[in-house]
Amino acid sequence: MLSKSLMKKVSGLTILMLTCSSLASLDSLASESNSEDSKVENLLNNSYPSDNHLDDHVLSKDFDLEKEVENMPSVDEMNKEERELFNSIIEEQAELAGLESEKEKEVFTEYLSDFFNKDSQIYNNLTLAQKKVEGEINDISLDEESNNEKVSVASTISRTFTVETAHAFQPRIGVNFAGATFNTAIGFAVGGGVGAIQGFIAKKGKKEAAKLFSRTVTSRLKAWGFTKLALSVNGAVQWALNYSDVGGHIARYLDAHDSKPKNGWIDL
């Protein structure tokens, strides 16, 4: 029988190994995120400069980010100014997704817009989005030999923002679409894209912003039916606030801590 002293040493070594493994995983994720963030910074500098001019209401003590996101109007109910803002945000998200062709960007913005449109079958419902997107992919696949671009679009849809079933009881969502939905909802509430979100964080301070973002993202995940996933939001937000693409990094964090880490999908 092992002595108590030896058992303590073995237990301590096990804890140390697990800790090192966890830190290595976070270091790897941070390295990848820094690389992604550099791309975001370049894009923002060239096409979407940061906009720290936020509305007085957004910066007031009465501003409730969670409520503003919850009460975000459906696309079909937006006025002209709101629609212009919304369109600029989803176009920015298509750029941030790193899509290769204009056709892919059109498909991305179409589905992202539909997700926020109550007249769409996929409104706030990723399960229905899965059926719609998979149906389109199947249609595209039938014509793949005669149109290679359509194959590219189909693979992009599958990779970036479809919800699919990995196993019989394990649905999942692509990190790019998850990140885009977070950024779109929060960006619309504060009045701009990724640059405006960064301006909001700077004005509020990271500590206060972390509280607001955590409550908001948790609320949205629960509203979309992902209560279990919402339990990991606090850690995701704390980590994501260190990067420019907050929504995207929240999604990457969730992916890095699910049952199949860092595979580009968030297991639900």
Side-chain angles (χ1 to χ4, degrees), residues 151-214:
V151 177
S152 174
V153 173
S155 63
T156 299
I157 294 172
S158 177
R159 181 179 69 253
T160 60
F161 58 94
T162 63
V163 181
E164 66 175 25
T165 302
H167 304 291
F169 303 103
Q170 189 174 11
R172 59 184 185 172
I173 178 176
V175 295
N176 284 354
F177 187 63
T181 57
F182 297 149
N183 280 336
T184 300
I186 294 173
F188 187 86
V190 302
V194 172
I197 294 175
Q198 284 300 307
F200 181 78
I201 295 171
K203 295 291 186 179
K204 291 292 184 178
K206 280 190 175 181
K207 185 175 181 180
E208 180 62 20
K211 294 179 182 178
L212 296 174
F213 281 43
S214 293

Side-chain angles (χ1 to χ4, degrees), residues 11 13 16 18 28 40 44 51 60 71 75 92 98 102 113 157 159 187 254-255:
S11 298
L13 180 60
L16 179 60
L18 291 173
S28 175
V40 175
L44 292 177
D51 180 11
S60 71
N71 295 327
V75 172
E92 178 189 68
E102 290 303 315
S113 178
I157 294 172
R159 181 179 69 253
L254 295 174
D255 170 41

Side-chain angles (χ1 to χ4, degrees), residues 214 231-240 253-254 257:
S214 293
L231 298 175
S232 302
V233 165
N234 285 342
V237 168
Q238 292 285 350
W239 181 77
Y253 182 97
L254 295 174
H257 292 79

